[in-house]
Amino acid sequence: MQRRRFLQALAAPAILRPAAARRPNILLCISDDQSWAHASAYGATFVKTPGFDRVAGEGVLFRNAFVASPSCCPSRGSILSGQDFYRLRAASMNHTEWPGGIPIFTDLLAEAGYHVGCTGKGWGPGNWRNSGRKYNPAGPDYNKVRSKPPGRYISDIDYAANFEAFLDARPKNAPFCFWAGFIEPHREFEEGIGQRHGIRLDSVSVPAFLPDSEEVRRDLADYAFEIQWFDRHLERMLRTLEKRGELENTIVVVTSDNGMAFPRAKANLYDYGTRMPLALRWGERVKAGRVIGDLVSLIDLAPTFLEAAGLRIPEAVTGRSLLPLLDGRSPGRTEVVFGIERHFPGSRPNGAGYPSRGIRTGEYLYIRNLTPQANPCGDHPGPVWPQDDPVGGYGDTDGGLSKTYLWRNREKFPELFRLAFGKRPAEELYAVREDPYNMRNLAGKAEYEKIRKDLAARLDSYLKRTADPRALGRGEELDAVMRRFP
């Protein structure tokens, strides 16, 4: 029944605008390290996400949403600013600082009279205090309410209860904007927690770039349980909005900041690193049951919120509001651009990263690796990070059961090990419909040369138009940040 609702009204306008409307509230829910496929609304059988599914079924489900960068700080900074990650100076990479002078939607809404707050993980990991801010860029902190979590490594923050505390503190008649930054399903995972809570290993779908072993299935089940945990809080938040009569005038957005913390996913430009779950609900303003296949970027959220609130969108914003797509005035993007500078500073000497840029269309993914002589996951081999390897064994891939299993069985799975941890060529090209796990590089094949050239030119054009320092010959600006925060 739920799935049928997603497929209805595909051609109908999604936004129904009343003659006069209050400024909408905004609830932005962001999980930490979740790939696009892992919500039951997308057909996942081993992950149950009734909260996400409700938002999708009562609103819009996006099938092709992408982050600006598959790493926490640059992704979250891009969502806040509506800008491509490489424009954020020090915030273009993890474990640095938030620079001043970048307009962000939370500040602009606060200045316009919105009650703004945040629970869980906001912008980070990085230092925002150096910029002179009084609170995290995502909003003032609401983390006082705690509860006993169901297992190790799951946060004791009661996200839903803190949302209620935030609403209780709201000035009368003020619209609100709340950032719910779930810390799950970020590693580490408690081994076996998924099975203990009823996730069957035979129901787990293993991506083709990982070994299909019991160890990997257990790891994925533990990851799935953490997704289900934050989804329970999402359900509670939706019920709170209903009880308070606020749900219909609230833009509810549920997404993630980057892909799952497994080899060849998080911190990589492949789909399992950059492609995100995304659902949006806005009462009667967005017609229920629509599935959108157009490409969108999460940098589009900031201008969407600002336009919905009736505010001017800053000139620095490179994202585009989703409202014209939702109401049928214009189509979505034909391409999205993303990239990465550095994920974990300890992965290479002197804080060096692995700068890459990519462009994704509905049919192809093109990636340009700017330092192919380096290892994309870190220069020092090793099984896990950081528990027993202080110098960072393949540090750009978070440590865990799957990573360790693949390392220990590298001779048994040489191709999967190479794809996860081996060096990569300067250019990669994947036909995403035929190769959804991005494992067969077509760059260098004569029959795809025209496509490669076209995508390379389109990528160059976008990067120059949006002032990527590396595209403008100013890559030293980003390299200097890495050296400053080794």
Side-chain angles (χ1 to χ4, degrees):
M1 181 65 181
Q2 192 86 17
R3 297 284 298 168
R4 287 201 301 271
R5 293 185 65 193
F6 295 151
L7 300 176
Q8 293 170 352
L10 295 182
I15 296 224
L16 308 174
R17 298 180 184 278
R22 294 178 293 143
R23 289 186 294 174
N25 305 312
I26 297 165
L27 173 60
L28 176 58
C29 301
I30 303 181
S31 66
D32 199 348
D33 299 359
Q34 179 186 0
S35 293
W36 76 276
H38 298 138
S40 41
Y42 291 112
T45 57
F46 69 105
V47 187
K48 306 301 181 186
T49 54
F52 181 89
D53 299 351
R54 178 182 178 184
V55 175
E58 296 176 359
V60 173
L61 179 70
F62 293 85
R63 297 196 65 85
N64 286 294
F66 294 83
V67 290
S69 182
S71 182
C72 293
C73 268
S75 174
R76 290 163 183 263
S78 292
I79 291 170
L80 284 161
S81 65
Q83 296 191 50
D84 293 282
F85 81 101
Y86 42 74
R87 297 167 58 91
L88 303 182
R89 306 195 299 279
S92 63
M93 58 197 79
N94 274 351
H95 300 283
T96 55
E97 65 184 8
W98 180 258
I102 297 177
I104 53 179
F105 76 81
T106 45
D107 286 350
L108 295 171
L109 290 172
E111 292 167 7
Y114 271 70
H115 178 50
V116 175
C118 167
T119 191
K121 183 174 178 178
W123 176 82
N127 186 339
W128 49 264
R129 293 177 176 83
N130 282 0
S131 64
R133 298 188 60 88
K134 294 182 180 179
Y135 51 81
N136 190 289
D141 189 297
Y142 284 83
N143 286 323
K144 289 183 179 179
V145 186
R146 304 279 169 153
S147 61
K148 184 178 180 180
R152 292 180 66 198
Y153 310 124
I154 293 178
S155 174
D156 66 351
I157 297 173
D158 192 327
Y159 309 106
N162 282 295
F163 179 46
E164 292 199 57
F166 163 80
L167 292 177
D168 290 340
R170 177 171 55 150
K172 186 177 180 181
N173 297 325
F176 69 78
C177 173
F178 192 71
W179 175 295
F182 305 112
I183 296 170
E184 295 77 28
H186 195 287
R187 286 192 184 272
E188 300 175 40
F189 307 145
E190 179 180 339
E191 288 193 28
I193 194 170
Q195 284 180 280
R196 289 201 304 275
H197 286 85
I199 298 177
R200 300 192 335 268
L201 295 191
D202 61 2
S203 72
V204 172
S205 176
V206 180
F209 52 80
L210 295 174
D212 190 350
S213 68
E214 180 181 339
E215 291 83 353
V216 173
R217 285 178 175 265
R218 284 194 280 118
D219 205 18
L220 286 165
D222 297 341
Y223 155 77
F225 174 75
E226 292 210 359
I227 293 175
Q228 295 180 170
W229 174 251
F230 86 70
D231 191 82
R232 288 170 60 181
H233 284 269
L234 171 59
E235 286 189 281
R236 288 170 58 194
M237 291 177 179
L238 296 173
R239 289 196 295 268
T240 293
L241 288 173
E242 275 187 307
K243 290 177 184 177
R244 295 181 181 235
E246 297 282 4
L247 182 59
E248 296 309 299
N249 193 47
T250 299
I251 302 173
V252 181
V253 174
V254 190
T255 188
S256 190
D257 62 347
N258 51 248
M260 62 183 191
F262 285 73
R264 207 172 166 84
K266 178 182 178 180
N268 290 269
L269 301 190
Y270 309 116
D271 271 15
Y272 272 70
T274 60
R275 190 176 175 188
M276 295 293 99
L278 178 62
L280 183 152
R281 184 195 193 281
W282 188 8
E284 293 183 354
R285 310 260 187 115
V286 172
K287 189 173 179 64
R290 187 176 178 191
V291 178
I292 292 182
D294 303 62
L295 278 70
V296 300
S297 171
L298 296 194
I299 65 173
D300 299 335
L301 293 178
T304 301
F305 298 151
L306 294 174
E307 182 182 353
L311 300 181
R312 184 182 64 84
I313 297 172
E315 291 183 5
V317 167
T318 52
R320 46 195 266 192
S321 172
L322 296 174
L323 297 190
L325 171 63
L326 290 171
D327 68 9
R329 284 179 284 150
S330 69
R333 297 168 177 266
T334 57
E335 61 196 35
V336 290
V337 169
F338 36 67
I340 195 166
E341 281 294 319
R342 182 191 73 189
H343 181 60
F344 180 64
S347 297
R348 301 168 190 83
N350 302 314
Y354 190 79
S356 303
R357 303 290 187 266
I359 184 170
R360 174 69 151 73
T361 69
E363 296 182 336
Y364 294 98
L365 167 64
Y366 170 78
I367 297 172
R368 180 179 296 153
N369 300 309
L370 303 181
T371 56
Q373 70 278 9
N375 188 294
C377 300
D379 292 341
H380 179 76
V384 297
W385 167 87
Q387 298 94 326
D388 63 359
D389 193 345
V391 293
Y394 293 133
D396 277 3
T397 301
D398 289 6
L401 190 58
S402 294
K403 176 180 177 181
T404 301
Y405 178 84
L406 187 51
W407 163 261
R408 290 175 177 167
N409 292 275
R410 55 195 180 276
E411 294 183 359
K412 182 178 179 181
F413 302 102
E415 181 61 11
L416 296 183
F417 182 80
R418 181 191 68 80
L419 289 172
F421 302 116
K423 291 185 177 181
R424 295 168 187 169
E427 293 180 292
E428 301 175 69
L429 177 66
Y430 300 94
V432 295
R433 293 178 182 173
E434 304 164 11
D435 181 18
Y437 299 108
N438 312 148
M439 298 173 67
R440 298 188 295 275
N441 184 12
L442 305 175
K445 295 186 179 298
E447 60 268 37
Y448 291 96
E449 181 61 12
K450 183 178 179 180
I451 294 169
R452 184 201 65 79
K453 284 184 176 180
D454 175 63
L455 291 174
R458 289 160 68 176
L459 177 61
D460 285 335
S461 175
Y462 184 89
L463 296 175
K464 290 176 181 177
R465 187 169 70 251
T466 55
D468 178 1
R470 295 203 182 276
L472 299 179
R474 304 200 315 263
E476 171 57 26
E477 296 174 10
L478 298 174
D479 294 333
V481 173
M482 296 183 196
R483 293 193 295 271
R484 212 176 122 218
F485 298 94

